[in-house]
Amino acid sequence: MKKVIAILMILFALSVNAQVYNPVKWTTSVVKISESEYELIAKAAIEKGWHLYSQTVPEEGPLPTKFSFDGKGEYLKKGNTKEEEGHVVNDPIYGMKIKYFENKTIFKQRIKIKDKAPKQINANVEFMACDDTKCLPPKQVELLFKIK
Amino acid sequence: MKYLSIIKITLLSLFLSVLNFKAVAQQKFHIDGTITGLTNGKIYTYKNNAVVPVEVKNGKFQIDGDMSEPVYNLSLLKDSEINYRDQKTFTYVLAESGAQTLKINYSDFRKSVLTGSKTQDDSYRYDAIRDKIMKKYKKEFDKVEVLHKKLDDAVAAKKDEKTTEAIKYEINDAKEFLEPAYKEITDATLKFMKDNPKSYFSMSTLLYYLNGMTYDEAKVYYDSFNPLYKNTESGKYLWAEIEKMKKGIPGVPAGPFNTTDINGKPLKLEDFKGKYVLIDFWASWCVPCRKGNPHLLKLYAEYKPKGLEILGVSDDDKNEDKWKKAVEKDGIGVWRHVLRGLQYKEGSHERINIDQDISEGYNIHSLPTKILVDPNGIIVARYDGGEADDKKMDEDLAKIFKSK
Protein backbone atom coordinates (compact mmCIF):
# COMPACT_ATOMS: atom_id res chain seq x y z
CA MET A 1 0.00 0.00 0.00
CA LYS A 2 1.22 3.39 -0.89
CA LYS A 3 1.61 5.64 2.02
CA VAL A 4 2.24 9.28 1.70
CA ILE A 5 4.74 10.28 4.29
CA ALA A 6 5.22 13.60 5.87
CA ILE A 7 5.93 15.96 3.19
CA LEU A 8 7.40 19.00 1.98
CA MET A 9 9.76 21.70 2.37
CA ILE A 10 10.32 24.61 0.20
CA LEU A 11 13.94 24.70 -0.57
CA PHE A 12 15.44 27.54 -2.14
CA ALA A 13 18.87 28.84 -2.22
CA LEU A 14 19.06 32.57 -2.22
CA SER A 15 20.82 32.64 -5.52
CA VAL A 16 23.04 35.21 -7.09
CA ASN A 17 20.23 36.01 -9.44
CA ALA A 18 17.70 36.60 -6.74
CA GLN A 19 17.84 40.29 -7.38
CA VAL A 20 15.52 39.90 -10.28
CA TYR A 21 14.79 36.43 -11.53
CA ASN A 22 14.01 33.21 -9.73
CA PRO A 23 11.48 31.60 -12.04
CA VAL A 24 11.80 27.98 -10.94
CA LYS A 25 11.04 26.94 -7.38
CA TRP A 26 11.61 23.41 -6.12
CA THR A 27 9.80 21.44 -3.47
CA THR A 28 10.35 17.84 -2.44
CA SER A 29 8.35 14.99 -0.99
CA VAL A 30 8.82 11.29 -0.34
CA VAL A 31 6.37 8.44 -0.91
CA LYS A 32 6.88 5.06 0.71
CA ILE A 33 6.30 2.29 -1.80
CA SER A 34 7.17 -0.69 0.38
CA GLU A 35 9.31 -1.47 3.41
CA SER A 36 12.48 -1.01 1.40
CA GLU A 37 11.44 1.19 -1.49
CA TYR A 38 10.75 4.89 -1.62
CA GLU A 39 9.99 7.37 -4.31
CA LEU A 40 11.76 10.72 -4.12
CA ILE A 41 9.71 13.44 -5.77
CA ALA A 42 11.03 16.82 -6.84
CA LYS A 43 8.41 19.27 -7.97
CA ALA A 44 9.24 22.38 -9.97
CA ALA A 45 6.91 25.37 -9.98
CA ILE A 46 7.75 27.41 -13.05
CA GLU A 47 6.69 31.02 -13.40
CA LYS A 48 4.61 32.04 -16.37
CA GLY A 49 6.50 32.39 -19.61
CA TRP A 50 9.57 30.44 -18.45
CA HIS A 51 10.76 27.05 -19.66
CA LEU A 52 12.62 24.37 -17.76
CA TYR A 53 14.38 21.80 -19.92
CA SER A 54 14.24 18.03 -20.02
CA GLN A 55 16.98 15.78 -18.63
CA THR A 56 17.68 14.68 -22.15
CA VAL A 57 18.19 17.20 -24.89
CA PRO A 58 20.23 16.56 -28.01
CA GLU A 59 23.97 17.07 -27.66
CA GLU A 60 24.15 20.54 -29.19
CA GLY A 61 20.99 21.92 -27.66
CA PRO A 62 20.26 23.74 -24.40
CA LEU A 63 21.70 22.35 -21.17
CA PRO A 64 19.65 19.55 -19.67
CA THR A 65 18.25 19.53 -16.14
CA LYS A 66 20.51 17.30 -14.06
CA PHE A 67 19.92 15.59 -10.72
CA SER A 68 22.60 14.17 -8.51
CA PHE A 69 21.88 12.22 -5.37
CA ASP A 70 24.38 12.02 -2.56
CA GLY A 71 24.63 8.66 -0.94
CA LYS A 72 26.88 6.82 1.40
CA GLY A 73 25.79 3.42 0.26
CA GLU A 74 22.58 3.48 2.28
CA TYR A 75 20.43 3.08 -0.78
CA LEU A 76 20.46 2.15 -4.45
CA LYS A 77 18.86 4.10 -7.24
CA LYS A 78 16.32 2.03 -9.11
CA GLY A 79 16.37 3.18 -12.68
CA ASN A 80 16.74 6.73 -13.92
CA THR A 81 15.02 9.86 -12.71
CA LYS A 82 11.63 9.86 -14.40
CA GLU A 83 10.13 13.01 -15.87
CA GLU A 84 6.82 14.06 -17.41
CA GLU A 85 5.82 14.31 -21.04
CA GLY A 86 6.38 18.06 -21.34
CA HIS A 87 6.32 19.87 -24.65
CA VAL A 88 8.48 18.90 -27.56
CA VAL A 89 9.16 21.58 -30.12
CA ASN A 90 11.15 21.53 -33.28
CA ASP A 91 13.46 24.40 -32.62
CA PRO A 92 14.46 26.25 -35.77
CA ILE A 93 17.61 27.71 -34.22
CA TYR A 94 19.07 24.38 -33.24
CA GLY A 95 17.38 22.43 -36.00
CA MET A 96 16.44 19.72 -33.53
CA LYS A 97 13.65 18.57 -31.27
CA ILE A 98 13.83 20.05 -27.80
CA LYS A 99 11.73 19.07 -24.84
CA TYR A 100 10.79 21.52 -22.11
CA PHE A 101 8.33 21.99 -19.22
CA GLU A 102 5.97 24.85 -18.40
CA ASN A 103 3.94 25.86 -15.30
CA LYS A 104 4.87 22.87 -13.18
CA THR A 105 6.41 19.49 -13.49
CA ILE A 106 7.51 16.53 -11.43
CA PHE A 107 10.65 14.41 -11.41
CA LYS A 108 10.65 11.05 -9.64
CA GLN A 109 13.47 8.81 -8.48
CA ARG A 110 12.78 5.35 -7.10
CA ILE A 111 15.27 4.14 -4.49
CA LYS A 112 15.83 0.89 -2.64
CA ILE A 113 17.06 1.02 0.92
CA LYS A 114 19.91 -1.34 1.68
CA ASP A 115 19.70 -1.76 5.39
CA LYS A 116 18.12 0.92 7.48
CA ALA A 117 16.36 3.89 5.96
CA PRO A 118 18.39 7.11 6.25
CA LYS A 119 16.61 10.06 7.85
CA GLN A 120 17.11 12.17 4.80
CA ILE A 121 18.67 12.12 1.39
CA ASN A 122 20.52 15.09 0.02
CA ALA A 123 20.50 15.81 -3.64
CA ASN A 124 20.93 18.72 -5.97
CA VAL A 125 19.49 19.78 -9.24
CA GLU A 126 21.28 21.83 -11.85
CA PHE A 127 19.07 23.58 -14.34
CA MET A 128 18.77 26.51 -16.68
CA ALA A 129 15.64 28.42 -17.57
CA CYS A 130 14.67 30.61 -20.50
CA ASP A 131 11.74 32.71 -21.57
CA ASP A 132 11.21 34.15 -25.02
CA THR A 133 13.85 36.83 -24.74
CA LYS A 134 16.42 35.66 -22.22
CA CYS A 135 18.06 32.78 -20.41
CA LEU A 136 19.38 32.43 -16.91
CA PRO A 137 22.75 30.70 -16.58
CA PRO A 138 22.55 27.24 -15.03
CA LYS A 139 22.41 27.12 -11.28
CA GLN A 140 22.33 24.45 -8.64
CA VAL A 141 19.74 24.11 -5.94
CA GLU A 142 20.03 21.76 -3.00
CA LEU A 143 17.17 19.32 -2.53
CA LEU A 144 16.44 17.65 0.74
CA PHE A 145 14.26 14.54 0.85
CA LYS A 146 13.03 13.78 4.34
CA ILE A 147 12.29 10.17 5.09
CA LYS A 148 10.57 9.58 8.37
CA MET B 1 8.13 45.05 -19.43
CA LYS B 2 10.32 45.03 -16.36
CA TYR B 3 7.47 46.08 -14.13
CA LEU B 4 5.27 43.22 -15.15
CA SER B 5 5.82 40.77 -12.39
CA ILE B 6 7.04 43.09 -9.71
CA ILE B 7 4.09 42.52 -7.48
CA LYS B 8 4.28 38.80 -7.77
CA ILE B 9 8.01 38.72 -7.28
CA THR B 10 7.74 40.98 -4.28
CA LEU B 11 5.10 38.85 -2.70
CA LEU B 12 6.82 35.55 -3.28
CA SER B 13 10.26 36.71 -2.46
CA LEU B 14 9.28 38.45 0.72
CA PHE B 15 7.31 35.41 1.55
CA LEU B 16 10.32 33.21 1.13
CA SER B 17 13.15 35.46 2.09
CA VAL B 18 13.05 34.92 5.82
CA LEU B 19 13.66 31.22 5.47
CA ASN B 20 17.29 31.79 4.79
CA PHE B 21 18.10 33.52 7.97
CA LYS B 22 20.15 31.63 10.43
CA ALA B 23 18.20 30.88 13.50
CA VAL B 24 20.07 32.64 16.24
CA ALA B 25 17.44 33.09 18.87
CA GLN B 26 17.43 36.49 20.46
CA GLN B 27 13.83 37.56 20.77
CA LYS B 28 10.48 35.88 20.62
CA PHE B 29 7.12 36.65 19.13
CA HIS B 30 3.74 35.38 20.18
CA ILE B 31 0.61 35.37 18.04
CA ASP B 32 -2.92 34.96 19.35
CA GLY B 33 -4.99 34.04 16.36
CA THR B 34 -8.62 33.68 15.42
CA ILE B 35 -9.86 32.22 12.19
CA THR B 36 -13.19 32.52 10.42
CA GLY B 37 -14.33 29.66 8.21
CA LEU B 38 -12.53 26.92 10.15
CA THR B 39 -13.49 25.69 13.60
CA ASN B 40 -11.20 22.75 14.15
CA GLY B 41 -8.37 21.70 11.87
CA LYS B 42 -4.97 22.80 10.72
CA ILE B 43 -3.30 25.63 8.95
CA TYR B 44 0.42 25.70 8.15
CA THR B 45 3.49 27.85 8.47
CA TYR B 46 7.20 27.57 7.74
CA LYS B 47 9.74 26.96 10.42
CA ASN B 48 13.41 26.35 9.65
CA ASN B 49 12.70 25.64 5.99
CA ALA B 50 9.99 23.09 6.74
CA VAL B 51 6.23 23.32 6.73
CA VAL B 52 4.78 22.83 10.19
CA PRO B 53 1.11 22.51 11.10
CA VAL B 54 -0.66 24.92 13.41
CA GLU B 55 -3.53 23.41 15.36
CA VAL B 56 -6.84 25.31 15.17
CA LYS B 57 -9.28 24.66 18.02
CA ASN B 58 -12.66 26.35 18.27
CA GLY B 59 -11.53 28.88 15.69
CA LYS B 60 -8.45 29.82 17.71
CA PHE B 61 -4.74 29.16 17.37
CA GLN B 62 -1.38 30.32 18.66
CA ILE B 63 2.00 30.65 17.02
CA ASP B 64 5.25 31.21 18.88
CA GLY B 65 8.69 31.65 17.46
CA ASP B 66 12.23 32.82 17.97
CA MET B 67 13.47 35.82 16.06
CA SER B 68 16.98 36.30 14.76
CA GLU B 69 16.00 39.63 13.21
CA PRO B 70 13.85 42.54 14.35
CA VAL B 71 11.09 41.51 11.96
CA TYR B 72 9.87 37.98 11.33
CA ASN B 73 8.34 37.13 7.99
CA LEU B 74 5.58 34.79 9.08
CA SER B 75 4.05 32.76 6.28
CA LEU B 76 0.58 31.29 6.54
CA LEU B 77 -0.64 28.49 4.30
CA LYS B 78 -4.03 26.91 3.90
CA ASP B 79 -2.54 23.62 2.74
CA SER B 80 0.56 21.67 3.66
CA GLU B 81 1.88 22.46 0.23
CA ILE B 82 2.06 25.91 -1.26
CA ASN B 83 -0.17 26.49 -4.25
CA TYR B 84 1.30 29.45 -6.12
CA ARG B 85 -1.53 29.54 -8.60
CA ASP B 86 -4.22 30.27 -6.04
CA GLN B 87 -3.28 33.40 -4.22
CA LYS B 88 -6.15 32.98 -1.80
CA THR B 89 -4.38 30.05 -0.15
CA PHE B 90 -1.35 31.74 1.32
CA THR B 91 -0.06 35.01 2.67
CA TYR B 92 2.62 36.36 4.93
CA VAL B 93 2.65 38.90 7.71
CA LEU B 94 5.51 40.84 9.23
CA ALA B 95 5.62 40.05 12.92
CA GLU B 96 7.66 41.94 15.50
CA SER B 97 8.81 40.77 18.90
CA GLY B 98 6.20 40.47 21.63
CA ALA B 99 2.51 39.69 21.51
CA GLN B 100 0.31 40.34 18.50
CA THR B 101 -3.13 39.28 17.31
CA LEU B 102 -3.93 37.76 13.96
CA LYS B 103 -7.27 37.29 12.22
CA ILE B 104 -7.38 34.85 9.34
CA ASN B 105 -10.12 34.45 6.78
CA TYR B 106 -9.96 30.77 5.80
CA SER B 107 -11.55 31.32 2.40
CA ASP B 108 -9.12 34.08 1.46
CA PHE B 109 -5.79 34.22 3.29
CA ARG B 110 -4.96 37.55 1.67
CA LYS B 111 -7.56 39.12 3.93
CA SER B 112 -5.69 38.16 7.09
CA VAL B 113 -5.08 41.01 9.51
CA LEU B 114 -2.18 41.25 11.96
CA THR B 115 -2.52 43.80 14.74
CA GLY B 116 0.27 45.00 17.00
CA SER B 117 3.17 45.15 14.56
CA LYS B 118 4.37 48.54 13.40
CA THR B 119 6.04 46.99 10.36
CA GLN B 120 2.84 45.28 9.33
CA ASP B 121 0.96 48.56 9.75
CA ASP B 122 3.38 50.12 7.28
CA SER B 123 2.79 47.26 4.91
CA TYR B 124 -0.99 47.81 5.10
CA ARG B 125 -0.59 51.51 4.42
CA TYR B 126 1.46 50.65 1.35
CA ASP B 127 -1.05 48.02 0.20
CA ALA B 128 -3.81 50.61 0.33
CA ILE B 129 -1.86 52.94 -1.94
CA ARG B 130 -1.07 50.15 -4.38
CA ASP B 131 -4.60 48.77 -4.38
CA LYS B 132 -5.99 52.17 -5.23
CA ILE B 133 -3.84 52.28 -8.36
CA MET B 134 -4.74 48.72 -9.30
CA LYS B 135 -8.40 49.55 -8.95
CA LYS B 136 -7.99 52.39 -11.39
CA TYR B 137 -6.67 49.89 -13.94
CA LYS B 138 -9.00 47.07 -12.99
CA LYS B 139 -10.27 46.60 -16.53
CA GLU B 140 -6.74 46.13 -17.87
CA PHE B 141 -5.68 43.76 -15.07
CA ASP B 142 -8.83 41.68 -15.50
CA LYS B 143 -8.20 41.37 -19.21
CA VAL B 144 -4.72 39.94 -18.65
CA GLU B 145 -6.03 37.54 -16.04
CA VAL B 146 -8.74 36.26 -18.36
CA LEU B 147 -6.16 35.69 -21.09
CA HIS B 148 -3.83 33.83 -18.72
CA LYS B 149 -6.73 31.57 -17.83
CA LYS B 150 -7.41 31.06 -21.52
CA LEU B 151 -3.78 30.07 -22.06
CA ASP B 152 -3.82 27.65 -19.12
CA ASP B 153 -6.96 26.04 -20.50
CA ALA B 154 -5.45 25.75 -23.98
CA VAL B 155 -2.31 24.16 -22.56
CA ALA B 156 -4.36 21.78 -20.43
CA ALA B 157 -6.38 20.82 -23.50
CA LYS B 158 -3.11 20.16 -25.37
CA LYS B 159 -3.95 22.64 -28.11
CA ASP B 160 -1.32 23.00 -30.82
CA GLU B 161 1.47 25.50 -30.59
CA LYS B 162 -0.07 27.88 -33.09
CA THR B 163 -3.09 28.34 -30.83
CA THR B 164 -1.08 28.85 -27.66
CA GLU B 165 1.36 31.18 -29.43
CA ALA B 166 -1.58 33.30 -30.61
CA ILE B 167 -2.84 33.61 -27.04
CA LYS B 168 0.63 34.56 -25.85
CA TYR B 169 0.65 37.39 -28.37
CA GLU B 170 -2.74 38.51 -27.09
CA ILE B 171 -1.35 38.51 -23.55
CA ASN B 172 1.62 40.58 -24.61
CA ASP B 173 -0.65 43.12 -26.27
CA ALA B 174 -2.92 43.27 -23.24
CA LYS B 175 0.07 43.70 -20.93
CA GLU B 176 1.14 46.79 -22.78
CA PHE B 177 -1.91 48.54 -21.38
CA LEU B 178 -0.63 47.70 -17.91
CA GLU B 179 2.61 49.60 -18.36
CA PRO B 180 1.11 52.89 -17.07
CA ALA B 181 -0.26 51.02 -14.04
CA TYR B 182 3.13 49.56 -13.20
CA LYS B 183 4.74 52.92 -13.75
CA GLU B 184 2.34 54.47 -11.24
CA ILE B 185 2.89 51.65 -8.76
CA THR B 186 6.65 52.02 -9.06
CA ASP B 187 6.44 55.78 -8.52
CA ALA B 188 4.14 55.30 -5.53
CA THR B 189 6.49 52.67 -4.07
CA LEU B 190 9.50 54.94 -4.39
CA LYS B 191 7.56 57.75 -2.76
CA PHE B 192 6.59 55.42 0.08
CA MET B 193 10.21 54.47 0.70
CA LYS B 194 11.19 58.13 0.62
CA ASP B 195 8.43 59.11 3.07
CA ASN B 196 9.05 56.16 5.43
CA PRO B 197 12.80 55.59 5.43
CA LYS B 198 12.92 54.17 8.95
CA SER B 199 10.42 51.41 8.26
CA TYR B 200 11.67 47.85 7.85
CA PHE B 201 9.08 47.52 5.13
CA SER B 202 10.80 50.21 3.06
CA MET B 203 14.14 48.49 3.34
CA SER B 204 12.78 45.10 2.37
CA THR B 205 11.02 46.61 -0.63
CA LEU B 206 13.99 48.37 -2.21
CA LEU B 207 15.57 45.10 -3.38
CA TYR B 208 12.74 44.57 -5.86
CA TYR B 209 12.99 48.03 -7.35
CA LEU B 210 16.73 48.10 -7.96
CA ASN B 211 16.23 47.01 -11.52
CA GLY B 212 15.20 50.39 -12.86
CA MET B 213 17.66 52.39 -10.72
CA THR B 214 21.18 53.66 -10.96
CA TYR B 215 23.68 52.94 -8.21
CA ASP B 216 23.50 56.53 -6.97
CA GLU B 217 19.71 56.49 -6.75
CA ALA B 218 19.73 53.20 -4.87
CA LYS B 219 22.37 54.44 -2.47
CA VAL B 220 20.31 57.52 -1.54
CA TYR B 221 17.46 55.25 -0.42
CA TYR B 222 19.78 52.86 1.35
CA ASP B 223 21.55 55.64 3.23
CA SER B 224 18.21 56.91 4.54
CA PHE B 225 17.23 53.54 6.06
CA ASN B 226 17.23 52.57 9.71
CA PRO B 227 20.78 51.50 10.78
CA LEU B 228 19.26 48.83 13.01
CA TYR B 229 17.74 47.11 9.98
CA LYS B 230 20.76 47.63 7.73
CA ASN B 231 22.65 45.28 9.98
CA THR B 232 20.26 42.36 9.44
CA GLU B 233 20.85 39.55 6.96
CA SER B 234 18.40 41.06 4.48
CA GLY B 235 19.97 44.48 4.95
CA LYS B 236 23.42 43.11 4.22
CA TYR B 237 22.16 41.21 1.22
CA LEU B 238 20.53 44.37 -0.11
CA TRP B 239 23.77 46.31 0.27
CA ALA B 240 25.76 43.63 -1.55
CA GLU B 241 23.31 43.84 -4.45
CA ILE B 242 23.54 47.63 -4.56
CA GLU B 243 27.34 47.45 -4.58
CA LYS B 244 27.16 45.21 -7.63
CA MET B 245 25.21 47.91 -9.46
CA LYS B 246 28.38 49.93 -9.74
CA LYS B 247 29.53 47.48 -12.38
CA GLY B 248 28.50 47.24 -15.99
CA ILE B 249 26.36 50.36 -16.13
CA PRO B 250 26.52 53.43 -18.37
CA GLY B 251 29.02 56.02 -17.21
CA VAL B 252 31.43 53.69 -15.40
CA PRO B 253 34.64 52.18 -16.81
CA ALA B 254 34.21 48.80 -18.48
CA GLY B 255 35.37 45.88 -16.34
CA PRO B 256 38.96 44.95 -17.18
CA PHE B 257 39.85 41.44 -18.29
CA ASN B 258 42.91 39.64 -19.53
CA THR B 259 42.25 36.31 -21.18
CA THR B 260 42.78 34.11 -24.22
CA ASP B 261 40.40 34.09 -27.16
CA ILE B 262 38.85 31.21 -29.08
CA ASN B 263 41.91 31.01 -31.34
CA GLY B 264 44.36 30.96 -28.46
CA LYS B 265 45.39 34.60 -28.85
CA PRO B 266 45.72 36.81 -25.76
CA LEU B 267 43.03 39.46 -25.41
CA LYS B 268 42.46 42.24 -22.94
CA LEU B 269 40.07 45.17 -22.69
CA GLU B 270 42.75 47.73 -23.58
CA ASP B 271 43.17 46.07 -27.00
CA PHE B 272 39.91 47.77 -28.00
CA LYS B 273 41.03 51.22 -26.96
CA GLY B 274 40.19 53.84 -29.59
CA LYS B 275 37.23 51.89 -30.89
CA TYR B 276 33.64 51.31 -29.91
CA VAL B 277 33.16 47.72 -28.75
CA LEU B 278 29.89 45.93 -28.25
CA ILE B 279 30.38 43.17 -25.68
CA ASP B 280 27.84 40.43 -26.27
CA PHE B 281 27.23 38.13 -23.28
CA TRP B 282 25.73 34.95 -24.69
CA ALA B 283 25.98 31.13 -24.63
CA SER B 284 25.61 28.26 -27.07
CA TRP B 285 22.62 26.97 -25.10
CA CYS B 286 20.79 30.32 -25.01
CA VAL B 287 18.14 30.24 -27.73
CA PRO B 288 17.21 33.93 -27.58
CA CYS B 289 20.91 34.84 -27.83
CA ARG B 290 21.41 32.79 -30.95
CA LYS B 291 18.25 34.10 -32.50
CA GLY B 292 19.88 37.51 -32.33
CA ASN B 293 23.08 36.49 -34.13
CA PRO B 294 21.89 37.17 -37.69
CA HIS B 295 21.02 40.70 -36.63
CA LEU B 296 24.40 41.16 -34.93
CA LEU B 297 26.11 40.03 -38.13
CA LYS B 298 24.19 42.68 -40.02
CA LEU B 299 25.23 45.39 -37.56
CA TYR B 300 28.82 44.20 -37.73
CA ALA B 301 28.90 44.36 -41.52
CA GLU B 302 27.49 47.86 -41.43
CA TYR B 303 29.58 49.44 -38.68
CA LYS B 304 32.83 47.48 -38.67
CA PRO B 305 34.26 49.69 -41.45
CA LYS B 306 33.35 52.70 -39.30
CA GLY B 307 35.16 51.42 -36.25
CA LEU B 308 32.85 49.05 -34.34
CA GLU B 309 34.20 45.87 -32.79
CA ILE B 310 32.12 43.08 -31.29
CA LEU B 311 33.38 40.79 -28.55
CA GLY B 312 31.45 37.62 -27.73
CA VAL B 313 31.70 36.52 -24.09
CA SER B 314 30.24 33.08 -23.77
CA ASP B 315 28.90 31.19 -20.75
CA ASP B 316 30.23 27.87 -22.02
CA ASP B 317 33.18 27.21 -19.76
CA LYS B 318 31.93 23.72 -19.06
CA ASN B 319 31.84 22.73 -22.67
CA GLU B 320 34.22 24.50 -25.00
CA ASP B 321 33.34 22.20 -27.83
CA LYS B 322 29.72 23.34 -27.88
CA TRP B 323 30.90 26.92 -27.83
CA LYS B 324 33.19 26.47 -30.84
CA LYS B 325 30.51 24.64 -32.79
CA ALA B 326 27.94 27.37 -32.11
CA VAL B 327 30.35 30.09 -33.24
CA GLU B 328 30.99 28.18 -36.43
CA LYS B 329 27.37 27.29 -37.08
CA ASP B 330 26.10 30.84 -36.61
CA GLY B 331 28.95 32.26 -38.68
CA ILE B 332 29.97 34.72 -35.98
CA GLY B 333 33.66 33.82 -36.01
CA VAL B 334 34.26 37.13 -37.81
CA TRP B 335 34.51 38.85 -34.46
CA ARG B 336 36.49 37.81 -31.39
CA HIS B 337 35.26 35.34 -28.82
CA VAL B 338 36.22 34.52 -25.25
CA LEU B 339 34.75 32.44 -22.42
CA ARG B 340 33.47 34.26 -19.36
CA GLY B 341 35.86 32.33 -17.11
CA LEU B 342 33.46 30.60 -14.73
CA GLN B 343 35.44 28.27 -12.48
CA TYR B 344 34.51 25.82 -9.77
CA LYS B 345 36.63 24.16 -7.16
CA GLU B 346 37.26 20.63 -8.35
CA GLY B 347 34.38 18.32 -7.45
CA SER B 348 32.30 20.99 -5.75
CA HIS B 349 29.84 23.78 -6.46
CA GLU B 350 32.06 26.34 -4.86
CA ARG B 351 33.11 29.06 -7.24
CA ILE B 352 36.73 30.11 -7.39
CA ASN B 353 38.70 32.88 -9.10
CA ILE B 354 35.59 35.04 -9.22
CA ASP B 355 37.70 38.11 -10.05
CA GLN B 356 38.67 36.44 -13.31
CA ASP B 357 35.06 35.91 -14.35
CA ILE B 358 34.33 38.55 -17.00
CA SER B 359 30.55 38.38 -16.36
CA GLU B 360 31.10 39.36 -12.72
CA GLY B 361 32.84 42.54 -13.77
CA TYR B 362 29.71 43.58 -15.66
CA ASN B 363 27.07 42.27 -13.21
CA ILE B 364 25.43 40.00 -15.76
CA HIS B 365 22.16 38.43 -14.57
CA SER B 366 20.66 37.06 -17.73
CA LEU B 367 21.60 36.31 -21.32
CA PRO B 368 21.72 37.95 -23.76
CA THR B 369 23.06 41.18 -22.30
CA LYS B 370 24.98 43.56 -24.51
CA ILE B 371 27.24 46.32 -23.30
CA LEU B 372 28.47 49.13 -25.50
CA VAL B 373 31.86 50.59 -24.55
CA ASP B 374 33.20 53.82 -26.02
CA PRO B 375 36.75 54.39 -27.37
CA ASN B 376 37.91 55.51 -23.91
CA GLY B 377 36.77 52.33 -22.22
CA ILE B 378 33.67 53.90 -20.64
CA ILE B 379 30.34 52.08 -20.84
CA VAL B 380 27.77 54.05 -22.80
CA ALA B 381 24.82 51.63 -22.83
CA ARG B 382 23.50 48.33 -21.57
CA TYR B 383 20.88 46.27 -23.41
CA ASP B 384 18.95 43.26 -22.12
CA GLY B 385 17.13 40.85 -24.36
CA GLY B 386 13.85 41.84 -25.94
CA GLU B 387 12.65 43.95 -28.82
CA ALA B 388 12.65 47.30 -27.09
CA ASP B 389 16.32 46.97 -26.12
CA ASP B 390 17.31 45.73 -29.58
CA LYS B 391 15.66 48.74 -31.09
CA LYS B 392 17.43 51.05 -28.68
CA MET B 393 20.77 49.46 -29.57
CA ASP B 394 20.15 49.95 -33.29
CA GLU B 395 19.26 53.58 -32.73
CA ASP B 396 22.30 54.23 -30.53
CA LEU B 397 24.69 52.70 -33.06
CA ALA B 398 23.10 54.61 -35.93
CA LYS B 399 23.51 57.83 -33.99
CA ILE B 400 27.14 57.14 -33.02
CA PHE B 401 28.28 56.22 -36.51
CA LYS B 402 26.14 58.72 -38.42
CA SER B 403 28.86 61.30 -38.65
CA LYS B 404 31.64 58.84 -39.39
Side-chain angles (χ1 to χ4, degrees), chain B residues 189-312:
Chain B
T189 308
L190 298 183
K191 184 172 184 305
F192 189 93
M193 290 191 296
K194 211 172 270 174
D195 293 346
N196 303 277
K198 299 298 178 238
S199 168
Y200 181 88
F201 180 81
S202 292
M203 192 189 77
S204 62
T205 302
L206 178 60
L207 184 63
Y208 307 101
Y209 287 82
L210 291 179
N211 212 10
M213 281 184 195
T214 65
Y215 169 80
D216 289 334
E217 284 165 350
K219 192 165 179 305
V220 169
Y221 287 105
Y222 179 84
D223 287 345
S224 72
F225 292 154
N226 194 335
L228 179 72
Y229 298 146
K230 283 188 202 172
N231 214 18
T232 61
E233 288 296 317
S234 54
K236 286 180 203 159
Y237 181 78
L238 172 67
W239 179 240
E241 286 298 316
I242 293 173
E243 279 286 285
K244 280 192 206 164
M245 292 167 68
K246 275 198 286 196
K247 297 173 182 174
I249 56 165
V252 310
F257 54 85
N258 193 345
T259 183
T260 311
D261 81 354
I262 198 165
N263 298 315
K265 286 189 189 142
L267 185 68
K268 51 187 194 299
L269 178 70
E270 293 83 68
D271 296 344
F272 294 104
K273 208 149 199 181
K275 286 186 167 178
Y276 276 93
V277 59
L278 184 68
I279 307 179
D280 177 31
F281 290 89
W282 73 296
S284 70
W285 41 262
C286 167
V287 182
C289 303
R290 298 189 59 186
K291 269 188 188 155
N293 279 337
H295 184 65
L296 267 188
L297 278 164
K298 220 189 286 173
L299 291 175
Y300 190 67
E302 192 172 347
Y303 298 120
K304 159 88 179 159
K306 296 177 174 175
L308 177 73
E309 289 295 337
I310 296 181
L311 169 64

Side-chain angles (χ1 to χ4, degrees), chain B residues 135-176:
Chain B
K135 217 171 161 185
K136 204 168 112 187
Y137 291 91
K138 187 172 185 308
K139 223 173 70 191
E140 288 83 356
F141 277 105
D142 286 350
K143 175 121 201 263
V144 172
E145 194 160 312
V146 167
L147 286 170
H148 273 307
K149 174 97 182 34
K150 192 174 157 188
L151 179 63
D152 285 347
D153 292 347
V155 170
K158 303 222 180 241
K159 288 266 167 60
D160 58 45
E161 203 173 327
K162 215 172 133 194
T163 313
T164 55
E165 281 299 307
I167 303 173
K168 280 181 191 168
Y169 273 107
E170 270 187 89
I171 292 176
N172 268 342
D173 290 346
K175 275 180 174 173
E176 246 169 61

